[in-house]
Amino acid sequence: MTGRFTNRIAVIAGGGAGIGRRFAHRFAGEGASVVIADLDIGAAKRVVAELAADGARGLACAADVADVEAVSAMASAAVAEFGGIDILVNCAAIHLDHAQLPFDLESVPKWRQVMDVNVVGTLACSAACRPAMAARGGGSIVNMSSMAAYGASGAYGVSKLAVNSLTVSLAAAYSADGIRVNGIAPGLVDSESAVEWANDPSRSGAADIQEQLVAGQMIKRPGRMDDLANLCLFLSSAEAGFITGQTILVDGGYTKKPY
């Protein structure tokens, strides 16, 4: 650990479990104070307790990322507790089977929910944290996209393709404040929810999903949450100070495989 985030404050939206939780531990391990914002306040408090056990500072906030008042309160709480915000990671999302929706009129309300959380929520959190970042001379926002944005993946893929465009637009809009905005587009990794989904016996061919994905990758091993964390921490650091508006695939080469 390098301590490269000592005296930095990182907000992890959707940090109560899975990839967001791993990010929280990695930022804390390198010196950051971490705000865990999650719809499940119990999960957020558990992560803060884990960080405290390792000697790190954390704050749990209940937040529906699509609720403007909730994310404004989250940003205010971060400033009140730690003095500002330097880093925002937008991990909160509706995904997996919850975002596999038909293309019909009956599904429109659920489509709106997916877009509200995955896209509008990313915008809302970014806008809420922007003033605090600007007050400290700038910062970094990392948005979570997906390799699903690059294929026919239904509501989830559509929402993540929108996140890719939002990342570019936010990078341009926030550049005057010294805020860099980038994205990470993962393949399937070893998060709790993804592993459960991949091994769900009720899904036809479930046992072969991960094997099929690895077979289609250029790098022949399963993805790991730490593959994403390594990139997230880099993009959030001074080492990436000349990088903005980019969404980087971390999928073992799956979407770039030869035909």
Side-chain angles (χ1 to χ4, degrees), residues 147-170:
M147 73 175 187
Y150 301 89
S153 299
Y156 182 66
V158 170
S159 73
K160 292 303 184 179
L161 185 57
V163 168
N164 291 358
S165 181
L166 180 61
T167 294
V168 177
S169 296
L170 289 176

Side-chain angles (χ1 to χ4, degrees), residues 215-247:
Q217 295 170 186
M218 299 179 195
I219 298 173
K220 303 300 184 182
R221 67 160 174 83
R224 302 170 186 140
M225 288 188 286
D226 276 326
D227 294 321
L228 310 180
N230 292 339
L231 179 57
C232 186
L233 268 65
F234 168 71
L235 290 173
S236 302
S237 74
E239 297 165 340
F242 200 54
I243 302 173
T244 195
Q246 305 300 311
T247 294

Side-chain angles (χ1 to χ4, degrees), residues 85-211:
I85 300 170
D86 300 291
I87 297 158
L88 167 66
V89 184
N90 284 307
C91 284
I94 296 174
H95 63 150
L96 301 175
D97 286 343
H98 300 291
Q100 300 306 310
L101 306 174
F103 292 82
D104 56 31
L105 286 175
E106 289 76 12
S107 301
V108 167
K110 290 185 178 179
W111 272 80
R112 286 201 176 104
Q113 184 182 26
V114 170
M115 300 301 284
D116 275 351
V117 173
N118 295 7
V119 185
V120 178
T122 296
L123 170 60
C125 289
S126 300
C129 292
R130 178 187 185 181
M133 288 182 159
R136 286 169 69 88
S140 169
I141 297 173
V142 178
N143 297 327
M144 294 305 293
S145 177
S146 171
M147 73 175 187
Y150 301 89
S153 299
Y156 182 66
V158 170
S159 73
K160 292 303 184 179
L161 185 57
V163 168
N164 291 358
S165 181
L166 180 61
T167 294
V168 177
S169 296
L170 289 176
Y174 291 4
S175 61
D177 291 329
I179 299 171
R180 298 180 299 103
V181 186
N182 292 290
I184 299 174
L188 185 70
V189 298
D190 60 348
S191 67
E192 299 95 321
S193 59
V195 169
E196 182 180 359
W197 173 81
N199 293 289
D200 183 353
S202 68
R203 182 178 294 100
S204 177
D208 300 323
I209 288 177
Q210 190 171 62
E211 182 179 331

